[in-house]
Amino acid sequence: MSSGSGARRSGPVGRRPRSTSRDIERYGSLFAQRTQVMKSSAMRDLMALTERDDVISLAGGMPDTSTFPPDSYASLMKTVAAESCARALQYGPTEGMALVKRCILDVMQAEGMHVDQEELLVTTGGQQVIDLVCKTLLDPGDVVVCEAPTYPGAVPTFSAYQAEVVQVTMDRDGMRVDELESTLEELESSGRRPKFIYTVPNFHNPAGVTLSLERRRELVRIAGERELLVLEDNPYGLLRYEGDPLPTLRSLDDEFVIYASTFSKILSPGVRLGWAAAPAPVLAKMNIGKQACDLCSSSISQYFVGAYFDAGPWDRYVRSLIELYRRRRDVMLDALAEHFPREAEWTHPEGGLFIWATLPPYIDTTDLLARALQEHVAFVPGRAAFVDGRGGSSMRLNFSGVEEDRIREGVRRIGEVVREQVALYGTLTGASPPERVTPPRRGVGDAGEGRRETAAGGSSEAELAKVLRLPRKRAG
Amino acid sequence: MTKVAVLKGGHSLERQVSLKSGARVQDALERLGHEVVSVDVAGDLVQRLEADRPDIAFVSLHGRDGEDGTVQELLEVMGIAYTGSGVSACIRAADKVLAKHAMLDAALPTPDFFAFNETAFRELGAAQALPAIEQRLQFPIVVKPASQGSALGIKFARTPADVPGALVAAFSYDRKVLLERHVPGRDLAVSIIEQDGVPETLPIVEAVPEQEDFYDFEARYEIGATKFLCPAELDDAVATRAAEIALDVYKLMGCSGFARVDLMLEQETDHLLVLEVNPIPGLTETSLLPQAADAAGLTFDGVIERILAAADQR
């Protein structure tokens, strides 16, 4: 008999297997090499605490789904039930349903791309594209080139396929393609050729920067010349708060670019629908890979998205999100300028969901998170975005999923613990404690704000300039 | 049938471990035929306990509040019997600085150390004393928060330049930190469990890192990254001595029910030195005490039964 809030495992009590240390030892010997990865249990435990109700979490990566009208949801589902019940409850084609592919074509067109339905694979979230590309292209030990920092959610995928990850520095214009080129030269001279280059060109997660037009052209030129694939991950492209849209890599080159995007940020992550547009032979292999993963993405979700696009202009909701997130971004930028000490730097994203802040190198943001949690506030420590433990003094801050008051209060609390640590370090090293920074006047372009907004690398740019090479993981 | 409230979770950084331990404890208690009430420790703890009125509380908490005597004090006030060590033993053992001072006073071996509050640096200029400390301890120096139970916040300082950053990190977890001499050698854990009021040691567990990186504390307790050997391959004399020291420390702290004492066997000297005492060691699938019990032929249910019995006898 039990009651209360315990995390109970299911299944009949009498048949629950008992674990002994011998079992653990036995399982341990069965685990594949590739499971021996990355994040420590201590880090996982720490991140679990960020989800507590009493914590202002700037650690999430979530869109604000509370803005979607429940009535619309109900009426869309009603439509699906009335018109397509049996089909929505059925398996669908692995490559995705035509009705959802039509929606994808609309979205891609809005970003200046014109593709055919045959060039598309509907996936279970954009995340599945990363997985399928790895599955299709990587043998253990193969090289993947990505940005430093890179999308933290891609790291476990690269690790699971035992990729050797090489990270290329970013600055305010995104991935440094000059460094990319020299990295590729170096790899070539040692007889290695990367299978693909992974990039988030728009409003990078976590760095918040955008790849410039010139570099986009350079990147596709390099890929074309060397016959390398580029995985262009573009979940946030339509969430632009300022400046002019830039052409996607896919629209500059359709021979060597695998394009990935998702409905998660423009409609709902809960529908778990993303897509890939890729050269036909690659797409065919990815399709086979997907079949092995999940046969098909949710039919219910595909009908839901189809009904949503049929019901009216889909971009109206996106525009409302842009208004909301722009305000939240501005609130966060103002709060950072007001509450973070002068030693800190951060990026000014033109869109997307994240700001990347870099503190002095002596502050470890993993430890800082433990301190911040005592003040009931959380962020993502920067290490999660690197494969070698760099990023130790950076943090990712999310503004899209948090209300304005909570953003202000959250940043104030983080600023306070950062100041506390800066002051303590000053005391320990004999440096003078930091002066309080005068709160800036509000408004874009204000000197107080602009002074400390910076490129992704921040003060550790020199450190980030080193191209990282991981030792090749044991293969099988 | 006894009504047992399993206290788990809480707000400490070791919440996840505690939830895992708690879930296993609940399973075992149910198998043993007890009525189990599960309590995720939060602001309504007193209310919950008043409403449920358990015969006994099984404290399956780690870290702040659960292991430092706070919850135990509340249970005392409410007159509810509970498992494991009492208030004073928890206070002593959970604070590495108090524990180490007690060991020094009792001539029990522990690595040299110095401990400071944040105020010592902020207000008394303790930073000026760092060179002297560094000279006494020699590099590398281990810097740790006084009360954090997991690997979080533990840093190695290899040079004087590393020390301030390591201190800032450790102060993220606690107002009090210690700088400790690093002891290169073998990492041993002696688990202790009582039988009829008498504490007995279980076979010693040795943690062997798969990769020769002594400095990665966080990797140490990952499955795969560290191999646990039990019983550890030790000379009989060393094993006996480790068990004796562990029992001495257990008694010195005033522990009851069960506990785990972590020691280093110094490579060069073969000296055994006590790092810390865990008044509520983990009871997850990968925790050391259940592994040691298993090596001694004691099932997990047997462990839980003994811990419960010890609480009854107190």
Side-chain angles (χ1 to χ4, degrees):
Chain A
M1 276 207 312
S2 81
S3 64
S5 60
R8 310 281 310 139
R9 281 179 286 165
S10 59
V13 172
R15 287 169 53 199
R16 193 171 295 151
R18 284 172 47 215
S19 257
T20 67
S21 59
R22 278 190 297 275
D23 285 332
I24 299 303
E25 200 49 38
R26 196 180 319 136
Y27 293 138
S29 69
L30 293 173
F31 292 148
Q33 285 288 338
R34 64 178 174 276
T35 65
Q36 297 187 9
V37 287
M38 315 315 298
K39 225 195 275 178
S40 72
S41 57
M43 178 79 149
R44 272 199 302 273
D45 290 352
L46 204 52
M47 290 313 293
L49 289 177
T50 66
E51 289 155 19
R52 276 177 5 211
D53 289 345
D54 58 348
V55 169
I56 297 180
S57 181
L58 308 176
M62 291 194 268
D64 190 340
T65 48
S66 72
T67 56
F68 196 86
D71 288 350
S72 305
Y73 178 84
S75 100
L76 292 169
M77 282 316 238
K78 201 172 163 190
T79 307
V80 173
E83 295 174 6
S84 336
C85 184
R87 278 168 294 155
L89 295 174
Q90 191 52 271
Y91 294 109
T94 302
E95 64 271 21
M97 295 173 173
L99 65 101
V100 87
K101 286 186 173 182
R102 281 201 302 272
C103 311
I104 293 170
L105 297 187
D106 280 359
V107 176
M108 288 184 74
Q109 199 169 359
E111 292 204 74
M113 289 169 286
H114 305 277
V115 298
D116 295 329
Q117 286 203 11
E118 295 69 44
E119 294 174 272
L120 294 176
L121 177 67
V122 177
T123 58
T124 302
Q127 184 77 21
Q128 193 177 43
V129 180
I130 305 174
D131 189 75
L132 293 176
V133 168
C134 289
K135 197 176 200 174
T136 301
L137 301 178
L138 295 181
D139 288 314
D142 277 349
V143 177
V144 173
V145 177
C146 63
E147 289 129 344
T150 190
Y151 163 50
V155 173
T157 313
F158 297 152
S159 302
Y161 289 94
Q162 293 161 287
E164 183 185 338
V165 180
V166 177
Q167 290 187 283
V168 175
T169 314
M170 301 173 89
D171 58 23
R172 66 177 65 239
D173 291 327
M175 183 191 282
R176 283 184 45 191
V177 285
D178 57 334
E179 192 179 298
L180 170 69
E181 225 165 359
S182 60
T183 301
L184 294 173
E185 288 294 336
E186 251 178 75
L187 287 168
E188 194 170 290
S189 68
S190 59
R192 292 174 302 163
R193 199 182 78 152
K195 290 288 183 67
F196 68 93
I197 300 161
Y198 173 72
T199 178
V200 182
N202 291 320
F203 327 127
H204 189 271
N205 173 8
V209 297
T210 293
L211 190 67
S212 68
L213 178 58
E214 191 187 342
R215 287 193 184 171
R216 284 170 197 242
R217 293 207 168 102
E218 278 295 284
L219 180 54
V220 296
R221 177 191 60 78
I222 292 167
E225 278 174 15
R226 293 175 181 262
E227 306 204 326
L228 286 176
L229 284 163
V230 175
L231 173 52
E232 175 180 28
D233 189 1
N234 186 30
Y236 319 111
L238 288 168
L239 297 177
R240 179 175 273 281
Y241 317 133
E242 63 183 62
D244 297 323
L246 296 172
T248 61
L249 300 173
R250 161 84 199 187
S251 63
L252 297 173
D253 178 302
D254 57 6
E255 252 188 305
F256 292 99
V257 176
I258 303 171
Y259 179 82
S261 192
T262 174
F263 290 107
S264 294
K265 312 301 186 292
I266 56 172
L267 171 56
S268 147
V271 298
R272 302 311 306 125
L273 284 181
W275 66 88
V282 179
L283 201 73
K285 286 284 184 196
M286 286 171 67
N287 191 314
I288 294 167
K290 178 170 169 66
Q291 217 165 33
C293 279
D294 59 4
L295 296 179
C296 64
S297 294
S298 160
S299 302
I300 298 176
S301 287
Q302 294 184 62
Y303 273 103
F304 175 81
V305 171
Y308 171 73
F309 274 67
D310 284 345
W314 59 273
D315 51 351
R316 201 162 50 200
Y317 181 56
V318 179
R319 284 200 299 274
S320 75
L321 290 176
I322 287 173
E323 286 309 311
L324 181 73
Y325 296 164
R326 182 195 287 122
R327 282 199 305 275
R328 289 180 178 177
R329 177 203 64 168
D330 291 344
V331 165
M332 184 172 273
L333 286 171
D334 283 351
L336 284 164
E338 182 174 351
H339 298 295
F340 268 39
R342 65 163 67 164
E343 291 83 354
E345 295 172 328
W346 54 88
T347 52
H348 178 114
E350 293 180 329
L353 313 181
F354 305 106
I355 290 174
W356 179 253
T358 301
L359 305 175
Y362 52 82
I363 292 183
D364 183 319
T365 49
T366 305
D367 300 312
L368 185 78
L369 174 59
R371 176 72 189 87
L373 281 167
Q374 291 166 30
E375 306 301 326
H376 302 275
V377 61
F379 50 82
V380 176
R383 276 206 189 88
F386 292 83
V387 288
D388 68 341
R390 280 189 300 165
S393 55
S394 297
M395 65 172 78
R396 189 189 79 176
L397 299 165
N398 167 262
F399 53 80
S400 61
V402 191
E403 288 151 14
E404 291 177 21
D405 285 352
R406 287 169 68 82
I407 291 175
R408 269 186 216 103
E409 178 58 18
V411 170
R412 187 192 68 75
R413 290 184 199 176
I414 298 171
E416 202 153 286
V417 292
V418 173
R419 281 172 184 286
E420 181 186 295
Q421 299 212 329
V422 169
L424 178 62
Y425 187 84
T427 310
L428 289 167
T429 54
S432 57
E435 293 162 35
R436 194 166 170 82
V437 174
T438 317
R441 298 177 305 280
R442 290 178 65 92
V444 178
D446 174 80
E449 179 184 280
R451 191 181 64 232
R452 287 173 292 133
E453 284 175 14
T454 184
S459 60
S460 50
E461 201 165 317
E463 179 202 336
L464 296 187
K466 288 178 229 149
V467 177
L468 160 72
R469 224 152 266 123
L470 276 186
R472 185 186 164 119
K473 289 195 192 305
R474 275 172 292 172
Chain B
M1 189 167 72
T2 313
K3 187 174 181 181
V4 188
V6 175
L7 309 190
K8 60 181 186 179
H11 276 184
S12 87
L13 296 174
E14 290 162 90
R15 173 180 169 79
Q16 295 303 109
V17 181
S18 164
L19 288 174
K20 282 184 213 158
S21 291
R24 285 193 90 209
V25 169
Q26 276 173 250
D27 289 349
L29 288 168
E30 280 171 3
R31 283 191 298 265
L32 292 166
H34 298 293
E35 183 186 349
V36 178
V37 181
S38 154
V39 181
D40 188 343
V41 172
D44 61 351
L45 175 64
V46 172
Q47 243 174 313
R48 286 286 307 271
L49 291 172
E50 264 168 2
D52 289 326
R53 287 316 300 179
D55 301 313
I56 188 165
F58 197 110
V59 186
S60 181
L61 294 160
H62 308 302
R64 183 167 298 163
D65 297 344
E67 209 167 355
D68 64 5
T70 309
V71 160
Q72 288 78 3
E73 190 89 275
L74 271 178
L75 292 164
E76 294 279 350
V77 172
M78 299 181 72
I80 297 171
Y82 57 93
T83 58
S85 295
V87 177
S88 64
C90 283
I91 290 173
R92 270 193 295 276
D95 184 327
K96 294 187 186 82
V97 177
L98 286 184
K100 284 171 72 82
H101 275 296
M103 287 184 242
L104 286 183
D105 292 347
L108 288 167
T110 185
D112 286 347
F113 72 103
F114 296 93
F116 294 100
N117 285 324
E118 220 173 307
T119 47
F121 291 105
R122 287 201 197 284
E123 291 162 27
L124 304 178
Q128 308 293 320
L130 283 175
I133 290 170
E134 290 157 8
Q135 202 179 359
R136 285 275 292 279
L137 298 179
Q138 298 293 309
F139 286 100
I141 292 170
V142 187
V143 181
K144 23 175 137 163
S147 65
Q148 178 55 27
S150 74
L152 287 166
I154 300 180
K155 301 272 170 184
F156 269 88
R158 294 174 189 78
T159 68
D162 294 339
V163 174
L167 284 167
V168 169
F171 277 124
S172 301
Y173 299 84
D174 202 335
R175 299 272 168 212
K176 189 162 59 174
V177 305
L178 61 157
L179 301 101
E180 191 180 59
R181 177 173 80 85
H182 171 56
V183 179
R186 294 166 70 181
D187 196 335
L188 307 178
V190 183
S191 299
I192 295 170
I193 188 161
E194 291 188 13
Q195 169 82 341
D196 302 325
V198 182
E200 292 175 355
T201 56
L202 295 169
I204 298 171
V205 181
E206 177 175 10
V208 186
E210 292 277 17
Q211 287 157 343
E212 286 293 301
D213 183 359
F214 301 119
Y215 301 117
D216 190 355
F217 276 105
E218 292 193 15
R220 271 186 8 186
Y221 299 107
E222 282 282 278
I223 299 183
T226 303
K227 202 162 68 184
F228 296 102
L229 298 179
C230 187
E233 287 174 27
L234 297 166
D235 291 343
D236 286 349
V238 173
T240 307
R241 176 85 186 116
E244 282 169 3
I245 292 174
L247 278 175
D248 285 346
V249 171
Y250 183 91
K251 289 173 192 160
L252 176 70
M253 297 296 138
C255 292
S256 50
F258 69 127
R260 197 188 77 222
V261 178
D262 295 344
L263 309 95
M264 291 302 298
L265 175 60
E266 191 168 26
Q267 206 169 359
E268 269 186 23
T269 62
D270 263 0
H271 288 163
L272 285 156
L273 297 126
V274 179
L275 293 179
E276 61 178 86
V277 190
N278 299 279
I280 307 181
L283 295 172
T284 70
E285 274 101 345
T286 51
S287 298
L288 306 189
L289 187 141
Q291 289 190 48
D294 191 52
L298 181 60
T299 63
F300 187 72
D301 291 5
V303 168
I304 299 307
E305 210 162 20
R306 278 217 211 172
I307 293 172
L308 217 52
D312 266 347
Q313 282 161 7
R314 189 166 52 193

